[in-house]
């Protein structure tokens, strides 16, 4: 049987990077085995529906290069792939469970449920829940007579359908990441499968759809592991073969203390969403990897290694190489700590592999935003000179902007340390040397300037740093005598004279 996997997000907000990683591992697994990758939207909980979230999810996955064979946006043999459009399909499956005595009607009002919880809490029950201890004391079709149940249904009394957790000692399932997982059945509650609004809950819709869509492997986040025993019991109750399960380790905050959550947003100084997101209700904007300047391939490479390792020292992987190398056996059980420096490192590696022309295009685009229209060849030369120092394309302007615009102000700390009044006549003299030579004489200029510094016993560092401050505005950039020929001797001298007049 060929492999079929699905990524099944709920459109309750922007997709978290942990969700992107889940989609990625599903994709890598499917592609490695020549299988099918499906995007199903799980939107049965209308109270948590957020407009725009589904489009956001699709756009994010497209940006990442994660492709789908079937799904809400590409169609396929199991259309519709959006659960709200499948709503009418679930009822018959609920009826099957009701008829088989594996599920029951429950009429309890929110107040009655609350009273039950209080009653149990008062008795010292740590985790009060609707289960085999209390079900016979509640308003449900197990406890009430069949006439009464029929009467209530006829009269339109609202009800839910609950799953009757069987009286087993334990439930065991096999997880491809964790091995055997066993829970005591007594800890499980009689989960609602079907709500009073006529919609299935996540659990029912998820299991029914995975079955109908012939999903062979359920690869999802660890937060769903507690639901897996219930799902496994549901498959058994339906008489269906359960898919294989693989629960992925959590993405942790950089200090390892807890799960990296949506709310961490920009609080920790890096995005937790692939694309920028504007909350439709509050207007609050959360940053995204795309807008922060990450290259999608670098972002994916970085994410792939958060929770999986190839078993070798190799760190740089194209999507094809990831597909080739991926295996569920090498997914770790331990949570993976997020490391933003590593994310930046990956971006730098990918930027290093981009050609000068692509980077120059990026720099030209940045300049156009600033209404600057430089000569392309000149911009390309600047790109070549500063690209080593760039992590993001936008750094090309930060690192090389002074080639296009004279400094508007000078770094105060550098000025205080390097710019000394007694050196001013010497800087004046060096400006003169520059003016009397041609731009092509880079090396000769260096010689002449150094000779002058030596003959007059001047502090080399201070003089050179002062010239740098005049040309660049701060203490950064490549060798001064690479900067000067590119700026041109006249422009360089003019910048030195301007600094002399101002500082
Ligand atoms: N709709 C669930 C979610 O939002 C899917 C969980 C699963 O993959 O079973 O993550």
């Amino acid at each position: 049987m060929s492999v079929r996997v699905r990524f099944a997000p709920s459109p309750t907000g922007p997709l978290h990077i942990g969700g992107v990683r889940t989609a990625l591992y599903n994709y890598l697994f499917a592609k490695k085995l020549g299988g099918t990758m499906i995007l199903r939207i799980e939107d049965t909980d209308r109270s948590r529906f957020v407009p725009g979230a589904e489009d956001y999810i699709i756009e994010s996955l497209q940006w990442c290069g994660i492709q789908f064979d079937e799904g809400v946006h590409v169609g396929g043999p199991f259309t519709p792939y959006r659960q709200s459009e499948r709503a009418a399909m679930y009822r018959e499956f609920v009826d099957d469970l009701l008829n088989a005595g594996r599920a029951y009607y429950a009429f309890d009002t929110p107040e009655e449920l609350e009273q039950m919880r209080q009653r149990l809490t008062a008795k010292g029950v740590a985790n009060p829940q609707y289960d085999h201890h209390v079900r016979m004391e509640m308003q449900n079709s197990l406890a009430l007579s069949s006439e009464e149940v029929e009467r209530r249904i006829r009269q339109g009394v609202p009800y839910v359908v609950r799953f009757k957790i069987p009286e087993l000692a334990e439930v065991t399932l096999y997880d491809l990441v964790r091995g055997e997982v066993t829970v005591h059945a007594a800890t499980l509650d009689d989960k609602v499968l079907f709500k009073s609004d006529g919609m299935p809950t996540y659990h029912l819709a998820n299991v029914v759809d995975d079955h109908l869509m012939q999903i062979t492997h359920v690869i999802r986040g660890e937060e769903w592991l507690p639901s897996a025993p219930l799902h496994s019991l549901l498959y058994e109750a339906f008489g269906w073969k359960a898919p294989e399960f693989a629960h992925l380790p959590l993405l942790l905050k950089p200090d390892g203390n807890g799960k990296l959550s949506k709310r961490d947003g920009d609080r920790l100084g890096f995005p937790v969403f692939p694309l920028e997101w504007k909350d439709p209700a509050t207007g609050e904007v959360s940053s995204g990897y795309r807008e922060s300047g990450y290259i999608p391939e670098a972002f994916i490479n970085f994410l792939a290694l958060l929770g999986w390792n190839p078993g070798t020292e190799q760190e740089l992987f194209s999507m094809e190489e990831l597909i080739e190398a991926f295996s569920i056996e090498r997914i770790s059980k331990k949570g993976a700590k997020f490391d933003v420096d590593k994310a930046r490192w990956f971006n730098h590696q990918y930027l290093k592999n981009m050609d000068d022309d692509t980077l120059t295009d990026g720099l030209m685009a940045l300049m156009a935003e600033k209404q600057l229209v430089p000569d392309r060849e000149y911009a390309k030369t600047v790109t070549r000179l500063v690209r080593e120092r760039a992590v993001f394309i936008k750094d090309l302007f930060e690192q090389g902007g002074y080639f296009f615009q004279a400094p508007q102000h000078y770094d105060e700390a550098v000025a205080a340390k390097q710019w000394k009044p007694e050196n001013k006549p010497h800087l004046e003299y060096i400006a003169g040397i520059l003016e009397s030579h041609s731009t092509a004489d880079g090396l000769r200029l260096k010689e002449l300037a150094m000779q002058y510094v030596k003959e007059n016993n001047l502090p080399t560092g201070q003089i050179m740093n002062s010239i740098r401050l005049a040309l660049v505005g701060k203490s950064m950039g490549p060798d001064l005598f690479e900067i000067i020929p590119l700026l041109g001797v006249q422009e360089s001298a003019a910048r030195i004279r301007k600094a002399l007049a101002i500082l």
Side-chain angles (χ1 to χ4, degrees), residues 6 21 109 120 135 165 183 214 252 279 390 437:
R6 84 304 193 270
R21 192 198 55 179
T109 62
L120 293 179
R135 54 166 95 102
I165 293 288
V183 301
Q214 299 171 9
L252 304 175
D279 188 299
H437 282 78

Side-chain angles (χ1 to χ4, degrees), residues 93-145:
F93 295 99
V94 178
D95 288 339
D96 287 348
L97 293 180
L98 285 166
N99 294 336
R102 304 297 302 261
Y104 58 89
Y105 295 99
F107 303 93
D108 313 273
T109 62
E111 296 72 39
E112 285 164 342
L113 291 172
E114 186 46 39
Q115 281 161 14
M116 175 266 285
R117 273 182 227 113
Q118 285 176 7
R119 211 164 57 237
L120 293 179
T121 308
K123 276 199 214 156
V125 177
N127 184 24
Q129 58 180 16
Y130 205 121
D131 62 13
H132 64 105
H133 292 290
V134 296
R135 54 166 95 102
M136 296 312 284
E137 300 160 22
M138 305 299 288
Q139 302 290 316
N140 59 48
S141 57
L142 300 174
L144 302 169
S145 70

Side-chain angles (χ1 to χ4, degrees), residues 6 8-10 42 202 206 210 218-220 223-224 231:
R6 84 304 193 270
S10 296
E42 302 207 324
Y202 154 72
N206 185 272
D210 281 346
V218 166
I219 304 171
R220 61 184 172 192
E223 62 274 28
W224 298 103
H231 295 180

Side-chain angles (χ1 to χ4, degrees), residues 80-385:
Y81 290 89
R82 195 179 286 113
Q83 286 184 330
S84 58
E85 290 170 25
R86 303 169 64 80
M89 286 185 204
Y90 303 107
R91 180 72 220 202
E92 65 169 295
F93 295 99
V94 178
D95 288 339
D96 287 348
L97 293 180
L98 285 166
N99 294 336
R102 304 297 302 261
Y104 58 89
Y105 295 99
F107 303 93
D108 313 273
T109 62
E111 296 72 39
E112 285 164 342
L113 291 172
E114 186 46 39
Q115 281 161 14
M116 175 266 285
R117 273 182 227 113
Q118 285 176 7
R119 211 164 57 237
L120 293 179
T121 308
K123 276 199 214 156
V125 177
N127 184 24
Q129 58 180 16
Y130 205 121
D131 62 13
H132 64 105
H133 292 290
V134 296
R135 54 166 95 102
M136 296 312 284
E137 300 160 22
M138 305 299 288
Q139 302 290 316
N140 59 48
S141 57
L142 300 174
L144 302 169
S145 70
S146 52
E147 295 76 34
E148 176 61 11
V149 172
E150 266 166 43
R151 188 188 63 77
R152 291 191 186 192
I153 291 175
R154 232 183 306 112
Q155 287 180 353
V157 177
Y159 65 81
V160 299
V161 176
R162 287 183 182 270
F163 187 52
K164 186 178 170 199
I165 293 288
E167 270 138 60
L168 298 168
E170 48 195 29
V171 185
T172 298
L173 61 103
Y174 188 79
D175 183 274
L176 295 171
V177 175
R178 274 143 232 279
E180 218 160 75
V181 177
T182 300
V183 301
H184 294 291
T187 62
L188 303 175
D189 63 334
D190 289 354
K191 278 272 180 310
V192 173
L193 299 179
F194 203 71
K195 295 177 285 185
S196 51
D197 64 0
M199 280 288 214
T201 57
Y202 154 72
H203 301 293
L204 180 78
N206 185 272
V207 164
V208 167
D209 283 346
D210 281 346
H211 172 71
L212 294 179
M213 295 180 181
Q214 299 171 9
I215 299 303
T216 57
H217 295 76
V218 166
I219 304 171
R220 61 184 172 192
E222 183 181 305
E223 62 274 28
W224 298 103
L225 187 61
S227 301
L230 166 71
H231 295 180
S232 157
L233 290 172
L234 275 168
Y235 282 104
E236 182 272 324
F238 281 120
W240 298 335
K241 182 177 179 300
E244 305 264 14
F245 290 107
H247 288 89
L248 307 175
L250 295 177
L251 280 190
L252 304 175
K253 292 188 213 297
D255 63 5
N257 272 326
K259 179 179 161 189
L260 186 62
S261 79
K262 284 194 177 188
R263 281 180 307 281
D264 286 324
D266 293 301
R267 210 172 51 81
L268 298 171
F270 54 84
V272 296
F273 302 123
L275 316 181
E276 189 174 276
W277 166 258
K278 185 170 178 195
D279 188 299
T282 63
E284 193 193 333
V285 175
S286 306
S287 71
Y289 281 84
R290 181 177 66 183
E291 290 72 13
S292 302
Y294 280 86
I295 299 163
E297 289 81 2
F299 172 67
I300 282 299
N301 193 159
F302 163 69
L303 261 191
L305 293 167
L306 280 178
W308 169 83
N309 74 80
T312 64
E313 293 297 302
Q314 186 178 348
E315 289 193 282
L316 297 176
F317 288 87
S318 66
M319 191 69 104
E320 282 66 39
E321 290 169 321
L322 284 173
I323 292 170
E324 180 62 32
F326 189 76
S327 76
I328 290 192
E329 292 77 58
R330 303 210 68 92
I331 292 176
S332 117
K333 293 192 195 43
K334 268 202 346 253
K337 274 192 228 167
F338 188 88
D339 177 354
V340 71
D341 291 332
K342 196 74 197 188
R344 294 168 55 86
W345 180 84
F346 272 102
N347 211 65
H348 183 57
Q349 300 307 311
Y350 277 77
L351 204 82
K352 269 178 34 190
N353 284 332
M354 288 166 82
D355 59 30
D356 290 336
D357 278 308
T358 311
L359 292 181
T360 306
D361 289 345
L363 178 58
M364 295 291 285
L366 285 168
M367 307 252 264
E369 280 170 26
K370 299 183 193 326
Q371 328 293 338
L372 295 170
V373 194
D375 174 67
R376 194 168 195 290
E377 276 311 302
Y378 181 67
K380 191 165 165 180
T381 311
V382 171
T383 300
R384 283 208 196 95
L385 204 55

